[in-house]
Amino acid sequence: MFLCSVVSVFCCFPTYKRFLMFISSNKCAGGFQKVFEHDSTELKCKMKFAVFLPPKAETDKCPVMYWLSGLTCTEQNFITKAGSQLAAAEHGIIIVAPDTSPRGCNIEGEDESWDFGTGAGFYVDATEDPWKTNYRMYSYVTEELPKLINANFPTDPDRMSVCGHSMGGHGALICALKNPGKYKAVSAFAPICNPMQCPWGQKAFSGYLGSDRSTWEVYDATVLAGSYSGPQLDILIDQGRDDQFLSASQLLPDNLIAVCSENKIPVVFRLQPGYDHSYFFIYSFINDHIKHHAKYLNA
């Protein structure tokens, strides 16, 4: 049974501005894997997030890597399946993994589809009824959550990065491309690279953003890459060659790579033979991604 109570976050940095609902804490890789819940002002509901505190966080401020998960996931998938804690502990990186959507908002239809509504926030700020009040995942992960993390944990606010998988890979890419200089590094596993041109994206964007496709462009990594003019952004993407969603034209990495090449945005794209879309794939290469982030976060 998990102990649930309102507590300040324990570590050796005693001054905290806010309180969180404590869900769980497990010793892991010399640090602690924790889960918390809080009342989100952006999403108008309670939200859970996981945070890994490496051993270094006991004495120093650490950089933060935000992990954005894919369709149907919660904060639990990444922390129990990806095996990220050892590498994060080695490099002294805090990892924050939020849930993928608001939950329990009593919106008609929110639980009817696995790829829209609950578990499928797509990291956009919805503009259409009935979604626009709660489905504001872009503002949540780029503004509200970092402020909450920086207020309660031993972070260095100037050193943060973003990574994700599938829908979360899309989220990571747009966060970096829409906010030049805010994230020191970005990487993705099997990201949805061009959502305007794939069935998943078209379903989500039409529902959350409406029928005017011009409003979709600000959440499409391929479109954003075409106009990006910020600091150099070195992107790492791993893609399983046997990914069923690659062959189903849901991910479209070639579209993004072509635009990045035209706009001279460095991309390391690795097509991994034999790998699919699962967390077995993420587990196999997560150390490479954390090393990629550490290069820029610890520079």
Side-chain angles (χ1 to χ4, degrees), residues 28-54:
C28 184
F32 286 92
Q33 181 63 67
K34 298 176 180 284
V35 177
F36 295 89
E37 185 177 73
H38 74 108
D39 291 313
S40 170
T41 57
E42 282 288 353
L43 309 181
K44 308 295 189 296
C45 68
K46 292 185 181 298
M47 287 292 288
K48 291 180 181 178
F49 66 87
V51 56
F52 174 71
L53 297 173

Side-chain angles (χ1 to χ4, degrees), residues 3-293:
L3 173 65
C4 295
S5 59
V6 177
V7 295
S8 60
V9 184
F10 176 77
C11 74
C12 61
F13 288 77
T15 304
Y16 298 102
K17 299 178 181 178
R18 306 185 186 187
F19 292 89
L20 302 170
M21 181 70 75
F22 171 77
I23 302 297
S24 65
S25 178
N26 297 93
K27 185 76 172 179
C28 184
F32 286 92
Q33 181 63 67
K34 298 176 180 284
V35 177
F36 295 89
E37 185 177 73
H38 74 108
D39 291 313
S40 170
T41 57
E42 282 288 353
L43 309 181
K44 308 295 189 296
C45 68
K46 292 185 181 298
M47 287 292 288
K48 291 180 181 178
F49 66 87
V51 56
F52 174 71
L53 297 173
K56 188 177 180 180
E58 295 181 5
T59 56
D60 297 297
K61 291 186 176 183
C62 297
V64 183
M65 186 187 91
Y66 287 86
W67 170 269
L68 305 182
S69 293
L71 289 164
T72 75
C73 290
T74 70
E75 79 290 339
Q76 288 292 316
N77 298 76
F78 180 73
I79 66 174
T80 58
K81 296 180 179 180
S84 63
Q85 291 92 344
L86 280 171
E90 177 186 351
H91 294 286
I93 296 174
I94 293 171
I95 300 183
V96 176
D99 201 349
T100 54
S101 78
R103 294 182 188 267
C105 297
N106 297 316
I107 300 173
E108 184 177 357
E110 67 181 340
D111 296 319
E112 290 181 358
S113 301
W114 66 274
D115 56 356
F116 184 80
T118 300
F122 260 85
Y123 305 102
V124 304
D125 285 348
T127 57
E128 296 294 299
D129 289 326
W131 311 99
K132 65 183 182 182
T133 299
N134 303 99
Y135 277 69
R136 296 180 51 79
M137 286 298 294
Y138 173 75
S139 288
Y140 177 71
V141 299
T142 60
E143 297 296 336
E144 181 180 2
L145 185 59
K147 288 178 182 177
L148 185 73
I149 297 300
N150 292 337
N152 288 282
F153 297 94
T155 64
D156 180 347
D158 294 325
R159 292 188 293 157
M160 69 176 184
S161 66
V162 63
C163 182
H165 171 232
S166 193
M167 177 186 72
H170 141 77
L173 291 169
I174 65 167
C175 286
L177 291 166
K178 284 170 65 65
N179 298 278
K182 184 170 187 173
Y183 299 93
K184 300 300 183 184
V186 60
S187 68
F189 292 84
I192 303 171
C193 294
N194 196 183
M196 292 182 65
Q197 303 299 328
C198 78
W200 276 342
Q202 290 165 356
K203 178 177 181 177
F205 285 8
S206 61
Y208 295 136
L209 305 174
S211 59
D212 182 357
R213 291 176 63 92
S214 67
T215 65
W216 302 5
E217 295 180 353
V218 295
Y219 295 113
D220 188 301
T222 297
V223 176
L224 291 169
S227 59
Y228 182 80
S229 59
Q232 179 169 310
L233 190 63
D234 292 323
I235 302 172
L236 171 63
I237 297 175
D238 271 308
Q239 173 64 61
R241 193 171 67 186
D242 291 356
D243 187 328
Q244 66 272 34
F245 300 116
L246 178 64
S247 59
S249 298
Q250 293 281 20
L251 306 178
L252 305 175
D254 290 346
N255 295 3
L256 175 64
I257 293 166
V259 172
C260 286
S261 177
E262 292 172 4
N263 203 21
K264 295 181 172 57
I265 299 173
V267 178
V268 174
F269 177 78
R270 308 192 305 186
L271 190 62
Q272 304 289 5
Y275 287 91
D276 57 19
H277 200 72
S278 71
Y279 264 86
F280 295 108
F281 166 54
I282 297 170
Y283 178 90
S284 301
F285 300 102
I286 189 65
N287 287 2
D288 291 349
H289 283 247
I290 292 175
K291 185 177 180 180
H292 169 78
H293 286 252

